[in-house]
Amino acid sequence: MRNLIRIAAVTLLSVFALSGCVTSQESNVSEADETTTASTESDQAESTEEIAPELVEDVEPAPEWTQSESPADVEICKVIDGQSPAARATEEGRMVEGKRARGNIGFPLSPVSLPISEDSNFIAAMVSFDDAPPTDLTPEGYLRPQLEKIEQWGDFWSQGKLNFNFQMVDEWVNIPVNHEDYPVKRELPFAERQGNANEIIKMIAAALPPDLDYENLDGVMVHWSPEIEHFTGDLGLQGFEGIALPFPGGEKEVFFWSGNTWWYETTGAMTADIKAEYTWSFWIYLMLDSMGLHNHGPGNGWPSGLQQMQVEANGEHSGSIIGWDEFKLGWTDDSQVHCLDPASITEPNEFLLTPREISGGERRLAVVPFEDQGALVVESRRPIGWSDTWTAEKSGLIAYFVDTELDIERVDSFTQGGCGNNPDQPKWAYYLYKDGFNGDCREFSNIFIREGEKLTFQSVQIELVHSSDQLDYVRVTNLDD
């Protein structure tokens, strides 16, 4: 009954179609990029007729820069979260000093219930009920490719620091009850719907095959029969609620999550088939929530990354994780962060930034900390690799502000994507726009800072001096200095 999956480390230079991952060649940022200027020559005409020369567009060569030292120590850019020390040290949702802990936006990472490094161990199963029977999909044909994609994602974005491992149950697991008798609906009181969810989760745990590794188990992920019309809410446990699950190997408290009816029905242009194709993206999003992250920003609902949008929208999707969150998880090496404390920018600072869709790189992220406020974060992005469904103009720098002092008890998961912050609906992070921008702030493509453009935030000005396939050449100036 067990089918244990663990792929070898993927070759990061391979290019996959949409159902696989796409990665791009690792850049060597210690050498300056060079762009060849195209030229053409007109053939000599033997006739006396004059031939006009062919016009050629000049291409600016890359500046002859080498990577500069980070002007400030990276510890300064690990901006401490504004909650009390006691709230910072506990899980999101716990009551601390009479107030709900909102989960850390800044450092350190909130306590987690899933591994963020080394090996993780999950069980993945397809589950049906007497009134929601199995479909023709099989774990081998449908679920295995989704799990392999998750493993590839973990290898790439953690830079080899986290290995997702899945034990796949190779047959449908049928729970011999009617799911209608255990409704999990949003309109029900929390205690009732969560109580029903806990009963279903316990039934699933007890029905799993006995020959799986339960001793090292971290979590269970479930794909439902599409006829689960009475599960309009998610069935989930973070793994610290005190709910012991009766596995064949003994009782154990672990992470458990699944989707709701939305993931199995067509809603507008998002067909059920499209949603099924992105199960890998949705499951990663769910797991990141138990790795101490908030998701839903910046750009909630935009295809800028799977934390903001888990399914292809209007033909576009990105499997990226937010650079700030990758930094918090420890997946970005300290040496890959260009830390720019405003006080340290006594003259224009120039550095090379590797697009996040490309493996490795000397610098993957730039951070400008602002004391008692938060951090300005700058990423380089390209429509390749895990973002290969983006259209070509979505290329260059993106910048966003992370509000580590956000004074709310619950981060809103329904904030709008663009147009900066909204005091009526505060965002934990929001995109910033280039200087002089007067376009539609609701359009995703308008967040990009392209070659020759600048963005000014408070006293700090970010300029994209040159952009090549593999590097962005960035200049940062403190206008107050």
Side-chain angles (χ1 to χ4, degrees):
M1 295 293 291
R2 180 179 66 175
N3 200 330
L4 179 62
I5 301 176
R6 177 65 206 149
I7 65 168
V10 295
T11 302
L12 294 179
L13 303 181
S14 299
V15 178
F16 297 82
L18 182 61
S19 60
C21 81
V22 188
T23 57
S24 189
Q25 184 176 356
E26 181 172 349
S27 62
N28 179 1
V29 295
S30 62
E31 299 179 2
D33 255 16
E34 295 184 1
T35 305
T36 304
T37 304
S39 63
T40 60
E41 296 181 357
S42 299
D43 293 332
Q44 295 293 330
E46 295 183 0
S47 66
T48 57
E49 182 180 3
E50 183 179 354
I51 301 177
E54 184 177 350
L55 297 178
V56 180
E57 180 182 358
D58 289 333
V59 178
E60 287 292 331
E64 295 183 358
W65 293 4
T66 57
Q67 190 64 273
S68 65
E69 293 293 326
S70 182
D73 187 279
V74 70
E75 296 301 320
I76 297 175
C77 282
K78 296 178 181 178
V79 181
I80 300 299
D81 191 86
Q83 295 185 108
S84 71
R88 288 199 296 266
T90 194
E91 297 92 350
E92 178 186 356
R94 301 279 195 192
M95 295 302 294
V96 178
E97 300 164 347
K99 186 175 182 180
R100 182 185 185 276
R102 62 156 161 73
N104 294 339
I105 295 170
F107 281 76
L109 191 70
S110 293
V112 301
S113 56
L114 289 179
I116 61 172
S117 64
E118 300 182 349
D119 289 315
S120 62
N121 179 18
F122 290 88
I123 291 172
M126 300 177 74
V127 175
S128 60
F129 300 90
D130 287 350
D131 59 348
T135 66
D136 292 335
L137 293 179
T138 66
E140 180 65 30
Y142 167 70
L143 200 53
R144 180 186 291 275
Q146 302 294 324
L147 303 181
E148 290 176 343
K149 190 71 175 283
I150 294 172
E151 291 176 351
Q152 295 163 4
W153 185 94
D155 288 336
F156 183 90
W157 292 103
S158 77
Q159 301 192 97
K161 296 178 177 67
L162 174 64
N163 297 319
F164 283 109
N165 297 283
F166 288 92
Q167 301 176 84
M168 184 182 75
V169 181
D170 56 14
E171 297 176 357
W172 280 83
V173 176
N174 186 69
I175 306 303
V177 300
N178 291 327
H179 85 290
E180 182 179 4
D181 296 334
Y182 301 85
V184 180
K185 297 185 175 182
R186 294 189 181 95
E187 62 268 23
L188 292 175
F190 174 79
E192 180 179 351
R193 71 172 184 267
Q194 188 61 47
N196 289 339
N198 292 345
E199 289 303 310
I200 291 292
I201 292 170
K202 289 177 180 179
M203 292 181 201
I204 294 170
L208 291 172
D211 61 341
L212 301 179
D213 176 11
Y214 295 101
E215 182 179 355
N216 300 304
L217 183 64
D218 295 306
V220 178
M221 303 296 296
V222 163
H223 176 86
W224 299 121
S225 161
E227 296 185 30
I228 43 100
E229 60 185 74
H230 297 282
F231 291 168
T232 58
D234 289 358
L235 282 75
L237 292 169
Q238 295 280 6
F240 52 72
E241 296 89 346
I243 308 296
L245 303 182
F247 294 108
E251 288 193 346
K252 189 171 185 177
E253 185 175 6
V254 300
F255 169 92
F256 180 103
W257 219 273
S258 66
N260 54 53
T261 53
W262 187 89
W263 283 93
Y264 302 92
E265 60 191 13
T266 295
T267 50
M270 291 186 186
T271 65
D273 288 342
I274 291 176
K275 293 176 183 179
E277 184 179 349
Y278 285 94
T279 293
W280 65 270
S281 174
F282 175 53
W283 281 13
I284 292 170
Y285 155 85
L286 293 174
M287 289 186 282
L288 289 176
D289 190 60
S290 289
M291 293 181 183
L293 306 181
H294 281 296
N295 299 324
H296 302 289
N300 193 33
W302 282 354
S304 49
L306 57 75
Q307 293 171 270
Q308 298 96 320
M309 188 66 184
Q310 296 81 55
V311 183
E312 175 186 298
N314 297 320
E316 294 186 297
H317 175 265
S318 173
S320 169
I321 182 176
I322 303 162
W324 176 255
D325 283 347
E326 185 183 298
F327 182 27
K328 285 179 61 181
L329 287 165
W331 295 353
T332 302
D333 297 335
D334 285 355
S335 63
Q336 293 177 305
V337 178
H338 204 74
C339 186
L340 296 139
D341 178 27
S344 69
I345 311 173
T346 56
E347 59 184 22
N349 183 268
E350 297 171 342
F351 61 96
L352 310 173
L353 199 58
T354 298
R356 293 184 47 71
E357 287 80 5
I358 295 176
S359 172
E362 287 189 42
R363 297 286 191 279
R364 291 183 60 78
L365 196 69
V367 178
V368 184
F370 291 89
E371 187 175 1
D372 297 327
Q373 297 179 59
L376 166 62
V377 182
V378 181
E379 302 178 9
S380 172
R381 302 295 300 271
R382 294 291 185 275
I384 60 174
W386 290 89
S387 306
D388 71 328
T389 58
W390 283 0
T391 51
E393 78 276 6
K394 295 180 177 69
S395 179
L397 300 178
I398 62 171
Y400 50 92
F401 186 74
V402 176
D403 186 356
T404 59
E405 299 292 319
L406 187 61
D407 187 18
I408 56 175
E409 294 191 9
R410 186 186 298 273
V411 172
D412 192 342
S413 60
F414 295 99
T415 57
Q416 299 301 307
C419 304
N421 202 7
N422 182 349
D424 296 327
Q425 196 180 34
K427 304 174 183 179
W428 76 265
Y430 51 90
Y431 284 119
L432 304 172
Y433 296 83
K434 66 185 179 182
D435 293 351
F437 175 73
N438 58 4
D440 186 354
C441 61
R442 298 166 298 176
E443 170 54 47
F444 168 50
S445 63
N446 286 331
I447 66 172
F448 288 87
I449 304 162
R450 300 179 176 88
E451 186 171 295
E453 296 178 340
K454 301 176 182 179
L455 179 147
T456 303
F457 183 81
Q458 297 189 26
S459 66
V460 175
Q461 185 177 79
I462 312 292
E463 178 183 0
L464 180 52
V465 176
H466 181 81
S467 189
S468 72
D469 290 341
Q470 304 253 334
L471 288 172
D472 276 339
Y473 294 67
V474 185
R475 178 182 294 129
V476 178
T477 304
N478 184 353
L479 301 180
D480 282 350
D481 187 71

